[in-house]
Amino acid sequence: MSEGLLAGATHLGPVHLRVIDITAALPVWRDAVGLSVLGEDDAVAGLGVDGKALIVLHEGAEVALPQKARGLFHVAIHVTTRRDLAHAAARLKASGLRYSAQDHLISESLYVSDPSGNGIEICFDTPERLADRQEAPDGRVTLIATDGSAHSGLEPLNVGALLRDLGNSGHVEARLPANAFIGHIHMRAGSPETLMAFYVGVLGFRPHIQSRAFGLFDCGTDRRPHMVAFNIWARDELREPPAGAAGLQRFTVVLDAADELAAVAERLGQAGVPSSEAGGALDCADPEGNRLRMVVAGT
């Protein structure tokens, strides 16, 4: 591992979200997305797969997160087969919820929001379809497929063709598979360059796309380059979330070893970033107030 860079084994853990009403949110997260409820009370509900928490909902938000508010854009739950994505598409179709589907060439994705405005992506990675990524002098990005065709990465996904992967049995899995995981988190940003300086220069992620023309900045590890992302697609319409809004409470970064956590804590101190450490967890916030917790795998 290069000095100051997070190990490739770094991954994302549970994402905590604020919602107005857990009871109203569960039909989306449980029935449409396909997570299992791991525990629930009047204020908190944990959801996940195979006993592993992926999403934790915290009731108490007063208003939904507006569509063009700074902060959470979506949290992405990744599946490992296209058939798993097809089951998710069938659940979304049956739910009657408004959803969308896009073919990013490097992935195929379904998008929906809960009643509090928290964006959700269900994603199947397809990196083998990408041959090249070209960036023009003006910063515009073009993706080149293995067949030589050019793509924006924003084409609509053919949901009908996706559903045909399920065959004619009519069976739809009610739950996401046990190997589903949080693959990335995506925020609307005011100053993405400032955020990248923090996530790359202080925390130790590797930079990936950095394009104002495309409106996307992201970073990750050598194994998963798109792990934390920021967009500026709202441009001049971006606004601050209102007081009491739903959205991101915090997300979790799982590090490979205790010495890596100690190194991050030292870099935060050198950068003058306030942080707190307790019970083996390191809490801090990025320059735009998005909170994150860093923990060591297995603790």
Side-chain angles (χ1 to χ4, degrees), residues 226-284:
H226 181 72
M227 188 177 291
V228 183
F230 312 98
N231 76 64
I232 52 172
W233 297 325
R235 305 288 180 176
D236 295 339
E237 296 181 75
L238 184 74
R239 49 180 164 158
E240 288 298 303
L248 179 67
Q249 180 154 312
R250 71 167 186 266
F251 68 98
T252 309
V253 179
V254 183
L255 304 180
D256 194 38
D259 59 350
E260 197 171 22
L261 185 69
V264 172
E266 183 177 357
R267 292 197 295 271
L268 288 168
Q270 291 172 346
V273 178
S275 65
S276 61
E277 193 168 358
L282 179 64
D283 291 326
C284 65

Side-chain angles (χ1 to χ4, degrees), residues 146-225:
T146 53
D147 65 1
S149 58
H151 298 261
S152 69
L154 300 174
E155 285 86 5
L157 177 64
N158 186 333
V159 175
L162 176 64
L163 291 172
R164 286 195 288 275
D165 278 10
L166 297 180
N168 299 317
S169 70
H171 173 71
V172 176
E173 293 288 346
R175 295 287 170 259
L176 286 168
N179 59 2
F181 62 99
I182 301 293
H184 69 272
I185 188 159
H186 190 154
M187 271 81 76
R188 297 183 190 90
S191 177
E193 290 90 351
T194 302
L195 289 167
M196 290 290 285
F198 172 77
Y199 282 90
V200 174
V202 180
L203 295 188
F205 286 99
R206 293 175 182 264
H208 186 224
I209 296 171
Q210 299 181 77
S211 173
R212 274 201 162 263
F214 186 52
L216 182 69
F217 295 69
D218 67 351
C219 57
T221 67
D222 56 352
R223 296 185 191 175
R224 181 163 291 279

